[in-house]
Amino acid sequence: MSVLVLNQDYHPLMICSVRRAFLLIYLNKAELITRDATKELRTISTSYPYPSVIKIDNYVNKPYKGVVLTRQNIFKRDSFECQYCGEDKNLTLDHLTPRSKGGKSTWTNLVTACTTCNAKKSDFNLEETQLTLRKTPVKPSYLMFLKKSGDKINEDWLDYLQPESINK
């Protein structure tokens, strides 16, 4: 299980382990915002709330970190599915505008494709083929990647991961 860590201004900062979150709370470096009511942390003599969302006490000046363009991050953005047929095996990357025709390796020009669809598209522009995209490729936000970082998003986190929560 993981814990969402918020900066002092309630912006999502990172995701950490329950152990680390508990330690930050215990050392008075963070404050418990939301607990998991179905669980608790126990020692021999004491029980403690099981953290779900914590807020650190001192503001961390973390300059905006854009999501790095990597093969794995493209797959993650596209939910590990071919953007033409939905297949989730034998995946590779496809340039919508091929590099041979001036296409660059950018967030909006790269999509996840299975080897079959990639071979069908070949060295053509997307408009020159019968293939259609399931969704338009976009540059993902840091929040989007926080949402996709774990296997399961805790419902307690959703209010803090919505773009409108940034103005809290």
Side-chain angles (χ1 to χ4, degrees), residues 7 13 56 58-64:
N7 211 340
L13 192 57
I56 58 171
N58 293 323
Y59 183 79
V60 174
N61 187 12
K62 191 171 184 180
Y64 172 74

Side-chain angles (χ1 to χ4, degrees), residues 77-152:
R77 177 201 65 190
D78 294 342
S79 303
F80 295 90
E81 293 177 343
C82 174
Q83 294 304 292
Y84 301 117
C85 70
E87 176 68 42
D88 63 356
K89 294 182 178 41
N90 301 318
L91 298 175
T92 186
L93 293 182
D94 180 46
H95 286 79
L96 298 177
T97 302
R99 288 190 293 182
S100 64
K101 296 181 179 178
K104 304 286 184 206
S105 293
T106 63
W107 282 107
T108 55
N109 194 46
L110 285 168
V111 294
T112 303
C114 67
T115 52
T116 305
C117 289
N118 203 356
K120 281 182 194 173
K121 184 172 167 295
S122 186
D123 196 32
F124 296 104
N125 287 322
L126 182 61
E127 301 79 29
E128 300 170 332
T129 68
Q130 298 296 319
L131 297 170
T132 56
L133 283 173
R134 299 173 86 210
K135 60 184 178 188
T136 305
V138 295
K139 181 178 180 180
S141 68
Y142 179 65
L143 289 178
M144 178 179 153
F145 268 76
L146 264 183
K147 286 181 182 181
K148 291 187 173 193
S149 67
D151 296 335
K152 180 183 166 212

Side-chain angles (χ1 to χ4, degrees), residues 44-56:
I44 294 173
S45 60
T46 312
S47 66
Y48 297 95
Y50 196 93
S52 176
V53 179
I54 65 171
K55 177 180 73 76
I56 58 171

Side-chain angles (χ1 to χ4, degrees), residues 20-63:
R20 178 152 187 215
F22 174 75
L23 188 61
L24 288 169
I25 294 168
Y26 187 78
L27 295 174
N28 293 320
K29 294 183 178 188
E31 153 188 357
L32 180 68
I33 300 295
T34 308
R35 64 176 286 189
D36 185 335
T38 63
K39 299 177 185 174
E40 60 183 20
L41 298 172
R42 296 190 53 82
T43 66
I44 294 173
S45 60
T46 312
S47 66
Y48 297 95
Y50 196 93
S52 176
V53 179
I54 65 171
K55 177 180 73 76
I56 58 171
D57 291 336
N58 293 323
Y59 183 79
V60 174
N61 187 12
K62 191 171 184 180

